[in-house]
Amino acid sequence: MLTHDTIPSRVVSRDQVFGIRKNEDNNSSTHDAGRLKKFWRRAPRLPPQLPPDTKVSTNGINHVPATLDDKSLWITRQQKVKEAFTYAWSGYKKYAMGYDELMPVSQRGIDGLGGLGATVVDALDTAMMMGIDEVVAEAGSWVEEHLAQRISEKGQVNLFETTIRVLGGLLSAYHLSGGEKGMNISHAGPNPSVYLETAKNLGDRLLSAFTSSPTPIPFSDVVLHDSSAHPAPGGLSSTSEVSTLQLEFNYLSSVSGDPKYGMEAMKVMEHIKSLPKIEGLVPIYISPDSGQFIGQNIRLGSRGDSYYEYLLKVWLQSGTSSDKNISYLYDMYKEAMNGVRHRLVQKTVPNGLVFVGELPAGKDGAFSPKMDHLVCFLPGTLALGATKGLTRKQAMANNMLNSEDLENLKLAEDLAKTCYEMYSVTSTGLAPEIAYFHTKEFSEQGHDGGNKSSEYMHDIIIRPADRHNLLRPETVESFFVLYRITEDLKYREWGWQIFEAFEKYTKIETGGYSSLDDVTVIPPPKRDKMETFFLGETLKYLYLLFGDISHIPLDKFVFNTEAHPIPINLKK
């Protein structure tokens, strides 16, 4: 069972998130480093290490301008992100309050996620972290007045999307508003129990996806009003979707005192453990009827991505050493990352960008040099898996990094560089949804990103159908994690460049921000959709990237795949 007795409960000022004093944070990190060190096998002695104050960097950027080390600069930039969030919320509130998403060009709302007001719940903990009490009050009041009724009356919802956005958002809001010895960073909004009771109501109905299935693999869709469930058309579930529920259901069990939620969700992982894999890699479809993987398509993009993320994070959530019964998850994660390096990683021509491709026909089929923007979650996950949330300096000082960890950290930085170049290679400075890469075996002409001055114009191929941008968070998510772990300022600067591009090309005059249809042309045509994750993830990660590193420390929290922080069980 999870607990968070060790999570600080200090009330902090409006513009701080979790203002743990420097000395307290350092002492805590040192204590946790010692605790972690105790439970990992001591790594072999490493080669001579760099002095502690030496900048470690890859990707050819070894120096950053001195001005980037100016604390006031990042306070100012963080404030700009906060203003962007307020602007995005104001557009949603004006034209779409209570709808799942805003269509900012049309100035209306749309329900594409089951009608549970997904933007409200996704944005709630972001507003708490930013100290925007007015938005916390508005969103919290809406949850209190409307969400329970919506849950009892609405029809079909997707199990995965509803869990990560709505259930995850409610649970994070519960903790951050002081529930169960939580952070209590905002006094606005309802009593924390409102968030927990609403989460339990939703969780009870979502459980039918598990209990209705003949195998441990849940059905993909739930009908809320009668708590029934059924498979998706075609009968299959996505591998990533069935394995990206455990953080949320485990934490719901912890705070509710009812083990049923976590028990059902963990059966999925236990079952997948028994299935055959290719060096830890798995196909992207799985059958609730047979419990077996279907097809051979292996990728870390859509339908595969967060399976690998949750192998690591569910293990971290448990406190890593407290529950030997789930150590298999970390073993599966390590095996999968070895499989990624061995089978999916290649370099581009002519400039050697490192990328992760796909095996559409499985291990014996041809390699595809295709990488979804979604894959840009991987650099952050690799770095987190290497240091377990500590800084690289702390992990090295405690002799916690073996050669495999160092290799994963290097791959994380190389892939983050590639993700950054997917932005900078376009005319708008915003990444496409999907990129292909020029290799010795694969080339296409006439599909560059439009930025003719980019060094990587000939390395990255952007097909016409893939040129849209959905305001996605994965790249800035990885920059946030990598900055926390490496303390390299280039990740902040890269994040700022991306934020400026969002401001320049996606902001709508009447309120809100819009997805784009084509990032390779200026002006880019608008797609007329502000995804919930722009407020729930993208702006949140940018805000944290520019903020103090003690805010939501990575050795105390794991972020679910929708960026809702969940406390790690640190009670020993």
Side-chain angles (χ1 to χ4, degrees):
M1 300 296 290
L2 299 185
T3 183
H4 30 289
D5 290 344
T6 58
I7 304 297
S9 58
R10 177 178 296 105
V11 178
V12 300
S13 60
R14 288 174 57 85
D15 290 325
Q16 290 177 312
V17 185
F18 302 157
I20 304 168
R21 291 194 188 101
K22 270 274 190 246
N23 62 328
E24 291 176 338
D25 184 57
N26 290 341
N27 290 341
S28 172
S29 295
T30 302
H31 169 76
D32 290 326
R35 177 181 57 76
L36 288 166
K37 179 181 175 183
K38 177 180 176 183
F39 291 102
W40 272 283
R41 190 178 343 186
R42 181 175 293 275
R45 184 157 296 281
L46 299 171
Q49 300 176 5
L50 294 171
D53 56 351
T54 301
K55 284 253 187 246
V56 182
S57 183
T58 58
N59 308 327
I61 298 180
N62 297 310
H63 302 284
V64 293
T67 54
L68 293 185
D69 211 11
D70 180 359
K71 186 175 181 180
S72 64
L73 172 68
W74 296 108
I75 291 173
T76 300
R77 290 182 171 182
Q78 189 185 46
Q79 180 63 29
K80 294 291 186 185
V81 177
K82 183 175 176 179
E83 292 168 4
F85 175 87
T86 301
Y87 189 83
W89 174 262
S90 68
Y92 171 78
K93 178 187 173 186
K94 184 175 182 180
Y95 300 116
M97 190 68 184
Y99 286 92
D100 283 334
E101 293 161 315
L102 168 68
M103 299 180 70
V105 179
S106 304
Q107 300 175 19
R108 62 188 180 92
I110 185 173
D111 282 336
L113 294 162
L116 298 180
T119 290
V120 178
V121 190
D122 236 359
L124 181 53
D125 64 357
T126 307
M128 289 179 174
M129 294 175 201
M130 292 181 176
I132 310 174
D133 286 350
E134 180 181 354
V135 175
V136 175
E138 291 166 350
S141 295
W142 188 91
V143 169
E144 183 173 29
E145 295 168 14
H146 301 288
L147 188 51
Q149 182 178 359
R150 294 270 182 108
I151 290 170
S152 66
E153 294 178 352
K154 288 294 182 181
Q156 179 174 307
V157 298
N158 176 267
L159 170 67
F160 162 74
E161 297 289 1
T162 306
T163 297
I164 65 171
R165 302 189 200 214
V166 183
L167 185 62
L170 289 168
L171 292 171
S172 179
Y174 173 68
H175 181 78
L176 298 185
S177 61
E180 193 73 11
K181 302 178 184 177
M183 299 302 299
N184 197 18
I185 65 172
S186 176
H187 295 294
N191 186 287
S193 63
V194 169
Y195 301 128
L196 178 58
E197 291 306 313
T198 308
K200 286 165 59 179
N201 180 14
L202 180 59
D204 286 340
R205 296 167 191 271
L206 295 178
L207 272 180
S208 63
F210 300 89
T211 57
S212 301
S213 173
T215 70
I217 303 303
F219 290 143
S220 66
D221 296 312
V222 173
V223 179
L224 290 175
H225 65 76
D226 64 4
S227 297
S228 63
H230 56 84
L236 302 182
S237 294
S238 298
T239 300
S240 64
E241 293 192 0
V242 302
S243 58
T244 310
L245 311 163
Q246 290 69 27
L247 284 178
E248 299 82 355
F249 278 80
N250 283 345
Y251 188 54
L252 181 56
S253 277
S254 172
V255 293
S256 70
D258 191 334
K260 66 183 179 183
Y261 308 104
M263 285 177 58
E264 291 295 337
M266 289 305 294
K267 287 178 184 176
V268 179
M269 297 304 212
E270 292 159 6
H271 177 77
I272 290 178
K273 178 179 70 168
S274 70
L275 299 179
K277 304 171 186 67
I278 308 299
E279 295 186 59
L281 306 176
V282 296
I284 61 172
Y285 289 107
I286 191 166
S287 169
D289 289 324
S290 69
Q292 300 297 308
F293 289 122
I294 302 297
Q296 296 180 301
N297 193 339
I298 292 172
R299 66 185 184 213
L300 269 71
S302 62
R303 303 189 183 279
D305 48 1
S306 49
Y307 162 72
Y308 303 96
E309 177 188 0
Y310 269 41
L311 289 178
L312 174 68
K313 288 185 173 180
V314 176
W315 175 75
L316 287 173
Q317 179 191 33
S318 74
T320 67
S321 58
S322 62
D323 189 349
K324 304 297 184 187
N325 292 327
I326 67 165
S327 60
Y328 70 89
L329 292 174
Y330 185 55
D331 295 336
M332 289 167 66
Y333 166 78
K334 290 191 294 182
E335 181 186 15
M337 293 306 102
N338 287 336
V340 168
R341 293 200 307 268
H342 182 217
R343 291 183 175 270
L344 301 183
V345 172
Q346 287 196 16
K347 289 186 177 182
T348 66
V349 174
N351 291 303
L353 284 176
V354 175
F355 70 95
V356 173
E358 301 180 357
L359 294 173
K363 65 183 179 69
D364 298 322
F367 176 87
S368 171
K370 168 181 173 282
M371 184 167 125
D372 294 357
H373 183 274
L374 289 167
V375 180
C376 289
F377 86 93
L378 186 59
T381 297
L382 284 165
L384 188 63
T387 72
K388 320 306 184 282
L390 301 177
T391 67
R392 174 161 45 193
K393 286 180 183 177
Q394 290 169 334
M396 292 181 78
N398 285 276
N399 199 22
M400 288 169 55
L401 299 182
N402 58 29
S403 58
E404 187 178 303
D405 294 325
L406 293 171
E407 194 171 349
N408 281 341
L409 263 178
K410 176 64 165 61
L411 178 58
E413 295 223 75
D414 288 344
L415 288 173
K417 163 71 172 173
T418 300
C419 290
Y420 167 70
E421 295 302 341
M422 286 167 63
Y423 283 76
S424 63
V425 79
T426 71
S427 301
T428 57
L430 292 169
E433 178 72 358
I434 297 169
Y436 288 78
F437 294 90
H438 179 194
T439 66
K440 292 177 182 177
E441 293 79 23
F442 179 84
S443 179
E444 284 186 0
Q445 302 301 316
H447 292 159
D448 62 72
N451 179 7
K452 305 302 183 183
S453 64
S454 170
E455 177 185 353
Y456 299 96
M457 184 180 75
H458 300 296
D459 295 71
I460 299 174
I461 298 161
I462 306 174
R463 292 175 172 175
D466 303 330
R467 291 175 178 171
H468 50 290
N469 179 288
L470 303 182
L471 312 173
R472 285 201 186 275
E474 288 78 20
T475 293
V476 294
E477 170 188 355
S478 284
F479 291 172
F480 156 66
V481 177
L482 277 164
Y483 173 69
R484 288 286 183 90
I485 287 173
T486 69
E487 302 171 284
D488 191 328
L489 285 165
K490 72 168 179 260
Y491 296 113
R492 279 184 155 182
E493 180 58 21
W494 289 353
W496 177 249
Q497 291 175 30
I498 291 171
F499 174 72
E500 286 193 305
F502 278 133
E503 284 289 289
K504 185 172 184 179
Y505 293 113
T506 71
K507 194 171 188 176
I508 303 299
E509 286 187 6
T510 52
Y513 293 75
S514 177
S515 302
L516 304 176
D517 270 332
D518 189 343
V519 295
T520 69
V521 297
I522 295 176
K526 305 294 191 296
R527 181 163 277 211
D528 197 16
K529 183 84 164 294
M530 186 173 75
E531 301 279 352
T532 78
F533 49 67
F534 185 63
L535 291 88
E537 299 188 71
T538 308
L539 293 177
K540 180 186 295 169
Y541 281 129
L542 285 165
Y543 183 83
L544 294 172
L545 172 62
F546 302 149
D548 191 280
I549 62 171
S550 65
H551 299 166
I552 316 187
L554 292 176
D555 59 343
K556 304 288 195 302
F557 290 87
V558 285
F559 288 83
N560 86 335
T561 201
E562 191 74 10
H564 298 303
I566 293 173
I568 290 173
N569 176 18
L570 294 176
K571 186 176 182 180
K572 297 291 179 287

